[in-house]
Amino acid sequence: MALSVGIVGLPNVGKSTLFNSLSSAKAEAANYPFCTIEPNVGVVTVPDPRLDALDKIVKAERIVPTTFNFVDIAGLVRGASKGEGLGNQFLSHIREVDAIVQVARCFEDANIVHVENRIDPVGDIEVITMELCLKDLDTVQKRLDRAKKASKSGQAPFEKLAAEICEPLAAHLDAGKPARSFKLPEHNDAPIILRDMQLLTAKPAFYLANVDEGSLANLAGNKHFQALKALADAEGAPIVPVCAALEEQIAQLDPADRPDFLEAAGLKEAGLNAVIRAGYKILDLDTYFTAGKVEVRAWTIKHGTKAPGAAGVIHTDFEKKFIKAEVIWWEDFVALGGESKCRAAGKLAAEGKEYVMRDGDVVHFLTGA
C-alpha cells in the first residue's frame, strides 16, 4: 500500500529540513526560495511500541514495521495557481499524494528570510489554501460547464446532480474554503462526482508548526503557534508542534545516543514520531499484526477493511482463498503470553469474511488450496 503524505508550505519554512529528519534521503536545504524543485520521496517507518511488546513474547528473527511515504514538494508562492514561481510543478506534485501536511513557520529568526518578509503562519496557510482553492475552482468550473451541456443532451440524472454539486462548490472554493469542508448532498453518486474531479483541497490535511526549541516546553507562550492552533481547531484538523532544526540534529545522532539527547532536551520522543503517526492517522489507516518465530510484522490497511481484504495485503491469493481469520487482541497476546495460551483462555476468535479488522489485531489467516 504505497500511500504518501506531501509536505507543503511556502519557501523557507523548514520543509526540507523536516524531510531530511524524516528520511535517509537527503534533500538539499538552503536559505533561499525554491531550493527544492523536484519532489524528494522518503520511506518512513511508523513507530509502534506494540511491535516490541509482541516480540518479547514471540522472540522472532526479525521485526518488520509498517511504512509509508513522505514527499517533499517545492515551495509555493502567491499566484501559483496562475503559474507563478514553480506553481505548475508544485500543483501537479500535490495531485499525486494522498494527504497533505502544511508546514508553517512559528519562530522568529532575522537570519532566515521569508518569501513575504513576515512571520504569520495563519497568513501563510491562507496563501497556500487559496492557491489550491483557485486551482480547484478552475477544475470545478470546467466540470460545471460540461454538466450543463450534458444535461441538455439528455444525460440528465447524473449530470444534473453534478451541476447541483459544482455550483455551490465553486462558490465554496472561491471563498477560500477547501473542498474537504464542503457538505455533499446525500446521494450515492455525490462522492463519485467529487472523487472524479481529483481536487487538491479534497485531500485530508493536517498542520505542522515549526517552532523554535525554547517553545517546545512553553507552547502557550508562542503566539504564532497559538494562532495556528486556533485555525486548526476551528477546522477540526490535527496540529503537531515540531522544532525542525532540533529534529535534524536528532536524526544525525547514532540511535544509541538519542535517548540521552532527548532527555537533555526535555523530550520523551522525537517530535517527528508524532508527525508520522499524524500522517498515518489522517490517511485513515489501521495496523494489524502477524507474529511468528520468523517475524513479527505490522501490516497497513484502510480503516474498515474486512478480514479477506486484510489477508490480501499479505498476498492476493490469501484474499481469493480466504477461509477464516484467527484473531487475538494484541493486549491479550502480550498479557497471556502468546497464541497457544490465548487459545486456551478463550481469547482467540475464529472470524469469517464479514469481520471488520481492528487496529491492533494479531491475526493468523487460514486459506484454501
Side-chain angles (χ1 to χ4, degrees):
M1 185 176 288
L3 295 171
S4 59
V5 174
I7 304 173
V8 173
L10 296 185
N12 265 22
V13 296
K15 298 186 314 302
S16 293
T17 301
L18 170 68
F19 178 83
N20 289 345
S21 307
L22 280 164
S23 172
S24 58
K26 294 296 182 183
E28 183 185 5
N31 185 23
Y32 56 88
F34 310 127
C35 175
T36 303
I37 298 176
E38 292 302 319
N40 300 280
V41 180
V43 180
V44 300
T45 60
V46 179
D48 195 329
R50 295 175 296 184
L51 279 168
D52 291 327
L54 292 170
D55 187 54
K56 285 181 181 178
I57 304 299
V58 176
K59 297 179 175 57
E61 294 176 15
R62 62 178 178 267
I63 298 176
V64 184
T66 190
T67 65
F68 69 100
N69 297 338
F70 271 97
V71 182
D72 182 26
I73 298 174
L76 173 149
V77 294
R78 198 182 300 274
S81 59
K82 304 300 181 185
E84 291 294 325
L86 298 168
N88 292 330
Q89 291 168 287
F90 173 92
L91 295 165
S92 67
H93 294 152
I94 289 184
R95 200 173 299 282
E96 295 170 5
V97 301
D98 301 290
I100 298 169
V101 51
Q102 294 196 40
V103 182
R105 177 176 168 177
C106 295
F107 65 89
E108 306 273 354
D109 189 334
N111 295 315
I112 299 179
V113 298
H114 187 284
V115 71
E116 295 197 349
N117 295 313
R118 57 171 169 74
I119 307 301
D120 180 5
V122 173
D124 290 355
I125 295 299
E126 288 174 348
V127 169
I128 295 168
T129 302
M130 181 55 76
E131 293 303 325
L132 298 182
C133 285
L134 289 173
K135 192 65 176 179
D136 281 349
L137 178 59
D138 183 55
T139 301
V140 170
Q141 286 176 330
K142 289 176 181 176
R143 181 66 181 91
L144 177 59
D145 291 343
R146 195 167 83 245
K148 288 179 176 178
K149 290 177 183 177
S151 295
K152 292 176 182 178
S153 68
Q155 301 175 36
F158 188 82
E159 293 302 322
K160 182 180 178 183
L161 177 64
E164 290 173 356
I165 290 171
C166 288
E167 202 146 13
L169 177 55
H172 185 85
L173 292 165
D174 194 42
K177 300 175 183 178
R180 59 182 166 270
S181 66
F182 179 74
K183 185 170 177 58
L184 286 169
E186 293 184 4
H187 191 289
N188 289 339
D189 288 333
I192 298 171
I193 291 167
L194 183 66
R195 183 197 65 204
D196 288 349
M197 285 188 283
Q198 296 183 311
L199 300 180
L200 303 174
T201 62
K203 297 178 185 294
F206 69 103
Y207 296 118
L208 187 148
N210 186 10
V211 303
D212 57 281
E213 185 176 346
S215 292
L216 290 173
N218 183 29
L219 291 169
N222 185 318
K223 64 179 182 181
H224 301 305
F225 173 79
Q226 291 302 319
L228 185 60
K229 185 177 185 300
L231 174 66
D233 290 348
E235 295 179 0
I239 179 170
V240 183
V242 165
C243 174
L246 182 64
E247 296 297 325
E248 190 169 44
Q249 293 179 51
I250 295 169
Q252 291 171 353
L253 292 172
D254 185 281
D257 296 330
R258 291 175 188 172
D260 289 341
F261 185 91
L262 288 168
E263 185 178 356
L267 300 174
K268 293 182 179 179
E269 64 174 356
L272 293 179
N273 286 359
V275 177
I276 294 168
R277 284 195 293 266
Y280 198 75
K281 184 177 180 180
I282 204 73
L283 287 168
D284 199 24
L285 302 177
D286 285 339
T287 299
Y288 76 85
F289 305 98
T290 52
K293 289 297 181 184
V294 174
E295 66 179 22
V296 171
R297 183 163 184 157
W299 301 89
T300 299
I301 52 173
K302 274 285 188 180
H303 183 69
T305 298
K306 293 183 179 180
V313 173
I314 299 176
H315 196 288
T316 53
D317 281 351
F318 285 13
E319 181 171 7
K320 296 174 186 175
K321 300 176 182 179
F322 177 90
I323 295 176
K324 66 177 179 178
E326 295 184 336
V327 181
I328 304 169
W329 181 238
W330 78 273
E331 289 178 327
D332 292 335
F333 192 100
V334 173
L336 294 176
E339 181 179 330
S340 61
K341 292 180 180 178
C342 286
R343 189 185 297 272
K347 293 296 185 179
L348 183 150
E351 303 287 358
K353 293 183 178 181
E354 295 304 310
Y355 177 71
V356 177
M357 300 289 292
R358 298 171 298 176
D359 183 82
D361 279 341
V362 181
V363 189
H364 176 222
F365 294 109
L366 281 75
T367 61

